[in-house]
Amino acid sequence: MRREKAARRGAAGQALVLVAVMLPVLMAFVLLVVEVAERWMQVAMLEDALQQATRSAVQTMDYAAFARNATGLRARTACAQVRRADATAAACRAVIDQASAYFRANLRGVRGLAEDPEALADRVTWTVLPTGGTCSYSSAQARPVTEATPLLCAEVRPVMQGIVGWGRFTPLIVAGETLEPIR
């Protein structure tokens, strides 16, 4: 009878070995979940910052056209895949300057940037289509945006760092907004 009880009880400290083996695996899993959730949140914050910048900038209308009961941006001609530094001589400079200023302001609350926000804002490529059209992006994964009304699109690949520090990542962030027609 005593031998059966001793065989069922096991040796003292066996559970401690099991916990010691499982604890690193459990900690790695928890850190993985935290890292994935934080990266997802960081990308969502950056997408929102760029989307809000395009939404606000596309509203910079040509008020002379607005007085004629027409819609239009301050840009007279289309600009495709233009960075802010390259837009100084372009006809769409006013819209891109405004969009870039909005994006810089929106970057203040974004976590996880592994680069200077000013440098990031300068790397955004803008597409301004004052009479509508199609915005295509550099990645085939991002769907093109087609509108018949004035359109402003942007894309950037920021360098980001997660909270746990498991390396840097560079997601593609795209945004596209149109000026709603007057009805």
Side-chain angles (χ1 to χ4, degrees):
M1 183 81 150
R2 284 186 172 241
R3 281 189 177 175
E4 289 177 16
K5 281 187 180 180
R8 278 188 277 153
R9 249 187 2 195
Q14 278 184 332
L16 194 57
V17 172
L18 185 60
V19 168
V21 168
M22 290 179 57
L23 194 58
V25 173
L26 184 61
M27 285 298 294
F29 178 72
V30 168
L31 288 176
L32 176 69
V33 169
V34 167
E35 180 73 9
V36 167
E38 180 64 20
R39 285 184 179 201
W40 179 80
M41 180 62 77
Q42 290 170 351
V43 168
M45 291 172 74
L46 198 53
E47 285 174 344
D48 187 52
L50 190 60
Q51 189 70 35
Q52 295 302 325
T54 56
R55 181 172 292 138
S56 297
V58 80
Q59 300 300 325
T60 58
M61 298 185 294
D62 179 6
Y63 287 101
F66 188 62
R68 294 187 308 271
N69 201 24
T71 56
L73 299 174
R74 276 194 240 168
R76 303 256 185 265
T77 60
C79 296
Q81 301 293 320
V82 176
R83 291 192 177 177
R84 184 173 173 264
D86 302 332
T88 54
C92 56
R93 180 177 52 97
V95 176
I96 291 176
D97 283 345
Q98 192 70 41
S100 183
Y102 287 136
F103 185 55
R104 290 171 202 277
N106 292 343
L107 283 176
R108 289 186 194 134
V110 174
R111 295 190 309 242
L113 288 177
E115 64 181 312
D116 181 45
E118 294 293 320
L120 174 62
D122 288 339
R123 287 191 307 106
V124 175
T125 55
W126 303 95
T127 299
V128 180
L129 301 170
T131 58
T134 300
C135 284
S136 298
Y137 299 109
S138 62
S139 172
Q141 295 170 340
R143 287 183 289 158
V145 177
T146 303
E147 291 290 337
T149 57
L151 184 63
L152 176 63
C153 300
E155 74 174 295
V156 67
R157 278 198 183 272
V159 179
M160 303 188 76
Q161 179 77 35
I163 193 170
V164 178
W166 287 346
R168 295 180 173 194
F169 62 105
T170 57
L172 176 65
I173 308 296
V174 298
E177 280 296 324
T178 185
L179 183 62
E180 296 296 325
I182 300 170
R183 298 191 197 265

